[in-house]
């Protein structure tokens, strides 16, 4: 975790995806036109968010087994970073929707699900604030985190598939990979995903290390 | 005592406790009936889609109010006593089953009264009833665990709403769709998907409660 090679890799990949994303060839599709380039920024945000929440849940489960304060700190900082990426995902999506679907917030199940899951994790943060005692706070918020995670999975991956959605891959629409993610786009898209996930993990670990230092100073 | 007899014993205790202090049960029944009446007086007549949605919103708030107290009403010393005589799984299971019963009663009364004041044709009444019963079971399953979590915090009243609403929304979306299908009298096979999702969410939630509650109760 403290090694620097993956941080350099993350920066290079994200830089590459920004430059490549704006300059390289994209397929010319009706309605989407050049806005298809937003794919390189919008979709990786959600992938990063899911990965960050997943890590957080894993550490919550670990916390219940170990009662180690560090696991709790990792879990909360990954949620903090995940919420930020969730907001970025919503914002990039709203900008994209404004140009392709005509309004920033069309009544789409995937949008609503994403908003609700963000609410859920903000409720987790509120729950943490309302508990004073540290060990109790860590334990109870870990329980809520684990309890909410399967519901979030249902929200984001099951419900949108049951109803009609504007998003590709839902309600019978083929996924993006199906027909319009051509090989040129893959060249940018996959590195962008990996780069943003690494950036997300980097942010979360930085915040975690700050918390560790703060705790040390408090203890002295 | 094995798990089954413990659950049976605790369930018996819950029912007796409820019956001794009838104010809680009567209070929540009165709450539902008066909410429906307030809605009736303010809406007078409503289109079918609103009729369906309004019913579920009333049920949502009624069930939050009914279930919030399930952990808060018991004082600390009595809770410690339960924990010495019963396993945590038995406690959460008995609470979930009891709340399911309570919600079934509550929602049937609410539905009867709601249909009495708001006249609305239902295409497939039996299936609508099934949707309502499934809904009350799911509400009870989710809210029981959340009320356990919220009862550990200081201002549990508002926390209960904050914690439970995002978790209940996926269920609510499926329920509204299922009951809408029943209201329109669509073919029953159309809604099998929704029933499957509801059953799956319930199983996941109850399993998670059983696994997580042992960590929640020990202080």
């Amino acid at each position: 975790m403290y090694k620097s090679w993956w941080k350099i890799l993350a920066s290079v990949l994200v830089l590459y995806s920004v430059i490549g994303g704006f300059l390289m060839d994209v397929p010319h599709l009706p309605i989407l036109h050049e806005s298809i380039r937003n794919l390189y920024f919008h979709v990786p945000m959600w992938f990063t968010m899911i990965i960050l929440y997943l890590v957080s849940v894993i550490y919550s489960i670990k916390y219940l087994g170990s009662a180690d304060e560090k696991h709790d700190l990792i879990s909360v900082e990954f949620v903090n970073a995940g919420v930020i990426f969730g907001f970025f995902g919503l914002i990039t999506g709203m900008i994209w929707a404004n140009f392709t679907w005509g309004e920033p917030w069309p009544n789409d199940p995937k949008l609503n699900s994403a908003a609700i899951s963000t609410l859920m994790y903000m409720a987790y943060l509120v729950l943490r604030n309302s508990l004073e005692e540290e060990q109790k706070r860590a334990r109870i918020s870990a329980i809520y985190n684990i309890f909410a995670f399967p519901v979030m999975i249902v929200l984001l991956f099951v419900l949108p598939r049951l109803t009609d959605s504007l998003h590709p891959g839902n309600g019978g629409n083929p996924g993006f990979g199906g027909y319009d993610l051509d090989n040129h786009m893959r060249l940018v898209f996959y590195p962008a995903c990996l780069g943003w996930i690494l950036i997300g993990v980097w942010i979360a670990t930085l915040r975690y290390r700050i918390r560790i230092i703060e705790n040390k100073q408090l203890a002295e | 005592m094995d798990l089954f007899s413990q659950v049976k014993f605790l369930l018996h205790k819950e029912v007796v406790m409820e019956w001794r202090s009838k104010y809680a049960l009567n209070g929540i029944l009165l709450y539902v009936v008066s909410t429906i009446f307030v809605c009736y007086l303010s809406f007078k007549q409503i289109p079918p889609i609103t009729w369906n949605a309004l019913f579920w919103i009333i049920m949502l708030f009624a069930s939050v109010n009914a279930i919030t107290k399930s952990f808060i009403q018991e004082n600390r010393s009595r809770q410690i006593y339960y924990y010495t005589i019963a396993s945590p799984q038995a406690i959460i299971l008995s609470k979930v089953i009891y709340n399911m019963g309570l919600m079934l009663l509550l929602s049937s009364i609410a539905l009867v009264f709601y249909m009495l004041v708001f006249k609305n044709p239902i295409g497939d009444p039996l299936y609508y009833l099934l949707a309502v019963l499934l809904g009350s079971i799911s509400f009870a399953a989710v809210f029981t665990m959340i009320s356990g979590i919220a009862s550990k915090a200081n201002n549990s009243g508002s926390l209960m709403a904050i914690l439970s609403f995002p978790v209940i929304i996926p269920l609510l979306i499926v329920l509204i769709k299922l009951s809408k299908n029943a209201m329109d009298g669509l073919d029953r096979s159309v809604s099998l998907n929704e029933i499957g999702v509801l059953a799956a969410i319930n199983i996941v939630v109850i399993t998670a409660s059983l696994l997580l509650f042992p960590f929640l109760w020990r202080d």
Side-chain angles (χ1 to χ4, degrees), chain B residues 99-116:
Chain B
N99 282 333
M100 280 178 181
L102 182 71
M103 281 306 301
L104 286 177
L105 179 76
L106 192 66
S107 59
S108 352
I109 291 173
L111 184 64
V112 169
F113 190 68
Y114 192 64
M115 279 162 63
L116 196 73

Side-chain angles (χ1 to χ4, degrees), chain B residues 47-61:
Chain B
I49 293 181
T50 322
W51 185 86
N52 188 30
L54 185 65
F55 177 72
W56 285 109
I57 291 169
I58 292 172
M59 283 318 297
L60 174 69
F61 280 91

Side-chain angles (χ1 to χ4, degrees), chain B:
Chain B
M1 277 199 289
D2 60 332
L3 187 70
F4 181 71
S5 59
Q6 280 185 1
V7 170
K8 220 173 75 180
F9 189 77
L10 285 166
L11 260 178
H12 178 72
K13 174 229 95 188
E14 293 273 353
V15 175
V16 169
M17 293 266 294
E18 191 75 70
W19 197 248
R20 262 187 215 154
S21 64
K22 294 190 194 69
Y23 80 94
L25 185 66
N26 290 339
I28 198 68
L29 285 178
L30 203 60
Y31 178 89
V32 177
V33 170
S34 44
T35 312
I36 293 175
F37 209 66
V38 166
C39 289
Y40 169 62
L41 291 179
S42 37
F43 280 104
K44 299 283 187 202
Q45 269 184 337
I46 44 177
I49 293 181
T50 322
W51 185 86
N52 188 30
L54 185 65
F55 177 72
W56 285 109
I57 291 169
I58 292 172
M59 283 318 297
L60 174 69
F61 280 91
S63 52
V64 168
N65 273 307
I67 298 176
T68 308
K69 63 176 183 51
S70 67
F71 282 94
I72 298 166
Q73 68 171 3
E74 314 219 19
N75 58 35
R76 257 188 82 79
S77 47
R78 199 195 285 153
Q79 275 190 3
I80 291 170
Y81 175 58
Y82 297 148
Y83 299 143
T84 55
I85 59 166
S87 72
Q89 279 88 2
I91 292 173
I92 186 75
L93 213 56
S94 68
K95 291 256 185 214
V96 168
I97 295 171
Y98 171 72
N99 282 333
M100 280 178 181
L102 182 71
M103 281 306 301
L104 286 177
L105 179 76
L106 192 66
S107 59
S108 352
I109 291 173
L111 184 64
V112 169
F113 190 68
Y114 192 64
M115 279 162 63
L116 196 73
V117 292
F118 283 115
K119 281 143 214 88
N120 190 55
I122 294 181
D124 194 343
L126 214 61
Y127 224 52
Y128 197 88
L129 189 67
L130 176 76
V132 171
L133 298 184
L134 266 177
S136 38
I137 288 175
S138 327
F139 280 177
V142 172
F143 287 150
T144 307
M145 185 64 190
I146 302 269
S147 80
I149 294 173
S151 73
K152 298 282 175 189
N154 299 330
N155 50 347
S156 38
S158 62
L159 204 59
M160 176 74 189
I162 297 171
L163 294 181
S164 59
F165 282 2
V167 181
I168 204 72
I169 285 172
L171 276 166
L172 208 60
I173 294 169
V174 180
L175 279 170
I176 287 179
K177 201 162 169 233
L178 175 64
S179 53
K180 178 81 175 37
N181 287 354
M183 200 175 69
D184 295 343
L186 297 185
D187 191 60
R188 289 183 182 181
S189 59
V190 176
S191 318
L192 287 180
N193 244 342
E194 275 79 26
I195 294 178
V197 172
L198 275 181
I201 297 178
N202 271 317
I203 291 169
V204 168
V205 163
I206 292 176
T207 324
S209 310
L210 280 178
L211 289 175
L212 293 175
F213 190 69
F215 294 100
L216 185 65
W217 66 266
R218 57 166 187 216
D219 257 327

Side-chain angles (χ1 to χ4, degrees), chain A residues 1 5 13 18 21 23-24 32 39 48 53 93 106 112 121 142-143 193 195 198 200 207 213 220:
Chain A
M1 272 293 120
W5 64 267
L13 285 179
V18 171
L23 295 182
M24 278 165 76
L32 281 171
L39 179 82
T48 312
Y53 287 166
N112 296 335
Y121 280 91
I143 291 168
C193 290
L198 289 178
R207 292 187 54 114
I213 292 169
E220 273 165 15

